[in-house]
Amino acid sequence: MTFRPGAVGGRGGGSAGAVCRAEQQAERTAAGEAWQNSSLVFATRYGTPIEPRNFNRAWEARVRRYGLRRITPHGARRTCASVLADLDVHPRVAMQILRHADFKVTMEIYTKVSSKQTREALKRLSERMNGTESA
């Protein structure tokens, strides 16, 4: 199974994308005529979709290898969305990173506002209503 981080962000010119393209080219060469072009983030060594059970086994192996708390791929995706929200990443950018076709999916399903953000918003609202907000 190959993870292609460059496929997530599109055609970015960063070094991660260059590394990804170099690795993909090496895989393409090794696969020869068996190579299938795709824009998949996770793919087999031949560029084809991964069978879901194989993906889950590979995911679990990595979780064990690195001693991580068990989390599903969906949970990791949801966590990513929440971290992006906490980092004040624009929702449209998060939508691209998460590869959502519908903006509402990003905003209503995946983003979870942290307690810290809620407290900060209430503090700002209170300051505005009391006329004590800072510039």
Side-chain angles (χ1 to χ4, degrees):
M1 173 174 65
T2 301
F3 173 58
R4 300 185 202 312
V8 174
R11 299 187 190 275
S15 61
V19 169
C20 180
R21 283 186 294 280
E23 289 175 358
Q24 188 177 39
Q25 184 57 47
E27 291 170 351
R28 188 176 290 157
T29 301
E33 291 185 20
W35 180 260
Q36 302 288 315
N37 280 326
S38 72
S39 62
L40 299 171
V41 175
F42 295 100
T44 68
R45 72 181 109 185
Y46 300 109
T48 58
I50 297 172
E51 197 280 323
R53 287 178 298 196
N54 290 339
F55 176 86
N56 288 333
R57 278 193 292 271
W59 178 270
E60 290 293 330
R62 283 169 177 76
V63 167
R64 282 191 305 276
R65 180 186 316 151
Y66 297 109
L68 302 173
R69 180 175 60 90
R70 188 181 182 287
I71 186 171
T72 64
H74 180 76
R77 183 179 169 98
R78 186 174 218 122
T79 299
C80 176
S82 295
V83 169
L84 290 170
D86 283 345
L87 293 172
D88 292 326
V89 172
H90 191 281
R92 292 279 179 193
V93 174
M95 180 180 155
Q96 282 187 307
I97 291 170
L98 297 165
R99 305 287 280 206
H100 290 152
D102 186 353
F103 185 70
K104 288 193 304 188
V105 172
T106 306
M107 296 306 296
E108 294 176 7
I109 297 174
Y110 283 96
T111 57
K112 180 176 111 180
V113 178
S114 69
S115 296
K116 179 181 175 186
Q117 284 181 307
T118 302
R119 286 191 302 273
E120 180 61 29
L122 289 171
K123 178 182 171 195
R124 289 172 51 203
L125 178 62
S126 175
E127 289 171 352
R128 169 72 56 97
M129 293 178 75
N130 293 323
T132 59
E133 63 185 313
S134 55

